[in-house]
Amino acid sequence: MADKVRLRIAPSPTGDPHVGTAYMALFNRAYAHGHGGSFILRIEDTDQTRYNEASQREILASLDWLGLTPDEGPGIGGDYAPYVQTQRRELYTQAANRLIELGHGYRCFCTKERLEELHREQAARREPPRYDRRCWSLTQVQVEENLAQGMPYVVRMHIPEEGTTTFNDLIRGEISFENRVLNDPILLKSDGLPVYHLAVVVDDHAMEVSHVVRAEEWISSTPLHVMLYQYFGWEVPKFAHMPLLRNADRSKISKRKNNTSLKWYREQGFLPEAMINFLALMGWSMPDGREIFDYSDIEREFTFERVTTSGPVFDLVKLTNINGKYIRQLSDEELYERLQPYISPGLDRDIMRKVVPVIKDRLTRLGEFEELTGFFFGQPPPHEASLLVPKKGTPETALEALKRTRAFLDSLPEPWTHEEWEAGMRALASELGMKAGDLFMVLRVAVTGSNVSPPLYESMEILGKEEVLKRVDRAIALLS
Ligand code: GLU
């Protein structure tokens, strides 16, 4: 293997593109590009029962959205094509045959029924299910007879009973497994397709992958892979097993407890740069402890030494906070542009331009823009009259407050200024014997239909005096 730095992700196209795929893509790409290397996408589609046609396209689209586009992959091309495993069958068959020739693999003709019977007996003896290696002792003649009869078979790898297999993990150090725990695994299925272990080794070798950076759930498979490299006489790549993303209860991140689909995050209006920042913080930290940084920082600073091994909890609240920070960093013009895919085509763009700076501080997802700002574009949402009544007030005091506020707003010379308005409202509140905050709240509900809204004065300015007075009249009618 040359000194090239080549890293890959190898997702299975089995459903919606997964946050775990983005997480692995981020570190693989950052390490590869940080070291002048290449980042590869390979599609592991050999489990045809779980195959989903659209998935491969969506994986690529999600990576593009996040700015994690691979250098090589299906639909992109590269010197090591094809990048889809079902298009590489020949290589796996060759490798399986080679392993048999080398004396480390064998054809196994055991039927499903026999294996089930074997596992039943083992269960009765309270033993874990294991293949008893019956076909390992078949003679050449027996094998040829079985083949001549057209008996279906799988190819298994023969694992020595003795010894241990050790590898060095760039994050976790030396890891050893006793060989006897490995159980002559199947490498090639009876349909001629490889299982993961064979395909991953054959492809990582063929694609000259220098660093295998993947999730920790693959640690226990790695000894098997190391053995295969050794049997084939191939150079063993470097390994690094990243911590798994976890649900709040520390189980592996799952659909039932988190949104795992990258499509969902995009639809909700999480910014790709916020996603990247958040994912990077899951299990890794910047040397200077900064929490907000961009992809180029990760590329420059990433080292395996700074990866933690404790399972990071995928925290939507934290992601939402980070997303809000990124939204606030955008210029008004940028935010306006980036909101476009998230709003209805008919929304008044002139009003929208005025609303963007006012809402910016409150927006945590692009997808909530219309929900938070609907009152600018149409009538405020209907609400109970009681929403207009402050906690310690009565409908009568609220009504009185609104009438006086209306008169005040009407008398306020135009153009309004924030200072005059605020001073006038505070004076009015003390005349009414109300807390200023309560008076602002009554007006806020009248104007926006809600007790949480963007800054009130700025909102009124956008709506204009006439519209504000109409809304106050409507609230007065509601209370009367
Ligand atoms: N297909 C495996 C997965 O979906 C790839 C694991 C690896 O990177 O070796 O996670």
Side-chain angles (χ1 to χ4, degrees):
M1 195 186 303
D3 303 324
K4 286 184 279 192
V5 171
R6 293 173 55 78
L7 283 80
R8 87 312 186 264
I9 54 164
S12 299
T14 51
D16 279 353
H18 197 278
V19 282
T21 299
Y23 180 65
M24 293 318 311
L26 168 59
F27 295 115
N28 273 280
R29 191 177 189 271
Y31 187 88
H33 287 184
H35 292 81
S38 306
F39 169 55
I40 306 155
L41 169 65
R42 181 174 72 229
I43 297 291
E44 299 207 329
D45 61 343
T46 55
D47 185 353
Q48 289 286 300
T49 52
R50 293 168 62 223
Y51 182 68
N52 172 325
E53 226 249 82
S55 186
Q56 178 180 320
R57 260 196 324 275
E58 289 178 351
I59 289 172
L60 256 174
S62 294
L63 292 176
D64 284 343
W65 170 61
L66 290 166
L68 298 176
T69 305
D71 306 308
E72 300 171 26
I76 300 168
D79 293 343
Y80 300 76
Y83 293 92
V84 176
Q85 285 188 330
T86 46
Q87 296 167 19
R88 302 171 63 81
R89 282 173 196 238
E90 198 50 35
L91 287 171
Y92 314 126
T93 322
Q94 279 166 13
N97 289 336
R98 178 95 188 104
L99 200 69
I100 296 173
E101 276 166 37
L102 290 167
H104 296 295
Y106 58 99
R107 293 185 179 82
C108 170
F109 298 91
C110 290
T111 58
K112 205 168 106 227
E113 291 71 27
R114 170 167 194 267
L115 294 176
E116 278 168 7
E117 177 58 30
L118 182 65
H119 293 161
R120 260 197 303 279
E121 288 166 13
Q122 289 167 336
R125 293 195 302 267
R126 300 189 178 283
E127 291 169 12
R130 274 182 85 80
Y131 179 55
D132 61 0
R133 298 180 168 163
R134 178 152 104 171
C135 290
W136 174 239
S137 23
L138 291 179
T139 64
Q140 174 89 32
V141 175
Q142 286 170 315
V143 170
E144 276 165 19
E145 274 171 13
N146 288 348
L147 291 176
Q149 281 175 32
M151 274 170 74
Y153 65 88
V154 299
V155 177
R156 287 184 186 269
M157 177 176 176
H158 183 64
I159 307 272
E161 299 274 357
E162 311 282 303
T164 53
T165 301
T166 301
F167 65 95
N168 184 55
D169 187 288
L170 294 173
I171 299 168
R172 296 152 201 272
E174 207 170 273
I175 298 180
S176 290
F177 280 85
E178 287 189 50
N179 293 339
R180 61 180 174 74
V181 304
L182 305 169
N183 176 21
D184 284 15
I186 296 175
L187 294 184
L188 205 65
K189 294 176 282 186
S190 55
D191 63 3
L193 282 171
V195 304
Y196 162 69
H197 304 301
L198 179 63
V200 75
V201 168
V202 167
D203 285 341
D204 283 343
H205 172 71
M207 295 181 179
E208 298 191 80
V209 168
S210 59
H211 297 67
V212 171
V213 179
R214 61 186 166 199
E216 69 183 300
E217 60 190 317
W218 301 107
I219 291 178
S220 60
S221 301
T222 306
L224 217 63
H225 303 173
V226 169
M227 271 184 210
L228 281 172
Y229 281 103
Q230 288 167 347
Y231 291 157
F232 287 127
W234 296 340
E235 191 180 330
V236 184
K238 296 193 168 60
F239 291 102
H241 290 91
M242 298 293 296
L244 272 183
L245 298 176
R246 295 183 186 268
N247 298 313
D249 64 6
R250 305 233 141 228
S251 54
K252 173 182 170 182
I253 192 167
S254 65
K255 266 202 252 200
R256 270 171 296 114
K257 298 184 179 155
N258 263 295
N259 283 294
T260 55
S261 163
L262 290 168
K263 275 161 57 183
W264 185 83
Y265 292 92
R266 187 177 187 175
E267 281 158 18
Q268 294 294 310
F270 288 95
L271 302 181
E273 55 269 47
M275 282 302 284
I276 293 282
N277 192 155
F278 169 73
L279 287 173
L281 287 171
M282 302 272 94
W284 180 74
S285 59
M286 278 297 245
D288 62 5
R290 245 183 320 148
E291 289 252 314
I292 297 293
F293 46 79
D294 65 19
Y295 175 76
S296 66
D297 296 324
I298 306 169
E299 219 174 83
R300 206 173 38 249
E301 300 289 353
F302 179 80
T303 55
F304 291 109
E305 287 77 46
R306 296 199 61 82
V307 174
T308 57
T309 48
S310 56
V313 171
F314 192 95
D315 180 354
L316 190 59
V317 175
K318 178 163 181 154
L319 170 59
T320 306
N321 287 337
I322 292 179
N323 202 50
K325 285 194 181 136
Y326 274 88
I327 288 178
R328 288 193 286 286
Q329 280 178 12
L330 298 174
S331 71
D332 295 346
E333 183 56 31
E334 277 167 338
L335 179 53
Y336 173 83
E337 289 303 333
R338 293 184 70 163
L339 279 165
Q340 296 306 317
Y342 293 89
I343 56 170
S344 11
L347 206 73
D348 186 317
R349 295 305 198 267
D350 292 333
I351 300 181
M352 184 176 166
R353 277 195 190 279
K354 296 183 199 156
V355 169
V356 164
V358 172
I359 195 68
K360 196 152 113 183
D361 277 355
R362 277 163 207 253
L363 207 57
T364 60
R365 294 179 288 107
L366 299 179
E368 67 182 358
F369 178 82
E370 278 200 68
E371 186 190 315
L372 293 182
T373 63
F375 70 90
F376 284 110
F377 301 91
Q379 285 312 307
H383 56 82
E384 299 288 323
S386 59
L387 196 63
L388 289 157
V389 181
K391 267 208 196 77
K392 283 189 192 130
T394 62
E396 291 70 35
T397 54
L399 183 61
E400 176 64 10
L402 273 175
K403 285 181 176 162
R404 298 283 300 273
T405 302
R406 189 197 191 286
F408 163 66
L409 290 176
D410 202 13
S411 71
L412 200 62
E414 284 191 284
W416 292 351
T417 71
H418 198 160
E419 293 71 31
E420 275 183 294
W421 168 75
E422 191 171 333
M425 288 290 286
R426 287 186 186 280
L428 180 57
S430 72
E431 266 178 54
L432 288 164
M434 273 176 98
K435 280 204 218 130
D438 284 347
L439 184 59
F440 288 124
M441 183 58 80
V442 177
L443 181 58
R444 182 188 303 278
V445 175
V447 173
T448 71
S450 165
N451 50 16
V452 282
S453 80
L456 181 54
Y457 179 77
E458 284 78 358
S459 302
M460 295 198 316
E461 254 194 325
I462 293 172
L463 289 166
K465 177 173 174 179
E466 197 186 317
E467 179 62 26
V468 169
L469 291 182
K470 267 196 217 156
R471 292 184 183 197
V472 174
D473 286 339
R474 231 173 274 125
I476 287 173
L478 187 63
L479 274 174
S480 303

